Structure formats: C-alpha cells, structure tokens
Amino acid sequence: MEEKALKQIFVRSSIKFVGQAIKAHAEKLGIDVYILDENRDFAYLLADLAPQVVVAYYKDIQEDIEDFLGEFSKGSHILKVLVLPTGLKESELAPIYEAFPVKFNEPISPNVFLEELARELESYSKKH
C-alpha cells in the first residue's frame, strides 16, 4: 500500500493559541491546517477538505461527543486523534475510546506532535 505524507489536518480546539501554534509550525512543513473552534456541523468540511487527520481536544468535545462522532459518518478513512487532559483515566473514556485510535496527552509540543502524527498516519495508512 502507498505511504501517505501528512498534508492536511483538521483540528477541533477552542483554545486559539493551541490551534495557531499547530498551524504555524505545520505551515513551515507544508502541511495545511483547518481549525474549528466550536462544535457545529462540519461533515461538509470533511467532504470538501478531505483531511487525512482530525485532531480533537477532549475538553472541547466531551459535552457533545455523540454529535461530534456522528459528523464522521462520511469520513471513515480519516485518522482520528484525541488529545487528553492531564490526569484523565482511560476508564473515563470508555464510550468513546475506540472511536479514536490515536491518543496524545496534554501538553503537546507542535513540532513533536506533527512528527508523531506523520508516523501515526503512515502506520494507519498501511492498515487501511
């Protein structure tokens, strides 16, 4: 199977600094980043932008997790990544744990995070 370089990321984060930091570093690497700062209908964005990776911060989606996951119905090929707050236990994530095959713990460093995302995408692409 063909390896895929990381080219486009969709980030759900209400913390503007986080999204801007990821975007600024990603642009240096030639990676496009779309930031969604609120929960709203975004299935059309997934269809139009066709990102390879969607990164969601647990704090931002925990209230509307079912709605958020429902938006992925047309994007099953997308690697879903969840960023977890410090101290959150896996048992607290039981209902959604399987929906996100890749998880990171806060805080994240944008350059290390993007390198890890590229590796995860490569691994995911080989399996799907």
Side-chain angles (χ1 to χ4, degrees), residues 17 23 25 27 49-50 61 63 76 88 124 126-127:
F17 173 77
K23 187 171 187 166
H25 190 72
E27 286 175 348
L49 299 174
I61 64 169
E63 297 296 320
S76 60
L88 188 69
Y124 183 79
K126 289 178 182 177
K127 297 174 187 172

Side-chain angles (χ1 to χ4, degrees), residues 52-122:
Q52 298 158 291
V53 178
V54 172
V55 177
Y57 277 73
Y58 180 74
K59 292 176 188 175
D60 293 322
I61 64 169
Q62 66 184 350
E63 297 296 320
D64 302 314
I65 192 69
E66 294 301 323
D67 291 337
F68 185 85
L69 292 174
E71 295 292 321
F72 287 111
S73 61
K74 295 181 181 177
S76 60
H77 63 285
I78 298 170
L79 175 61
K80 297 166 195 76
V81 177
L82 186 63
V83 179
L84 302 167
T86 303
L88 188 69
K89 297 176 182 152
E90 281 184 24
S91 60
E92 296 175 66
L93 293 172
I96 63 163
Y97 196 79
E98 296 298 321
F100 293 89
V102 178
K103 293 147 200 85
F104 288 90
N105 291 310
E106 290 183 320
I108 61 167
S109 167
N111 59 336
V112 174
F113 181 64
L114 291 169
E115 290 172 12
E116 288 292 322
L117 280 182
R119 280 194 284 277
E120 292 291 347
L121 178 62
E122 182 180 337

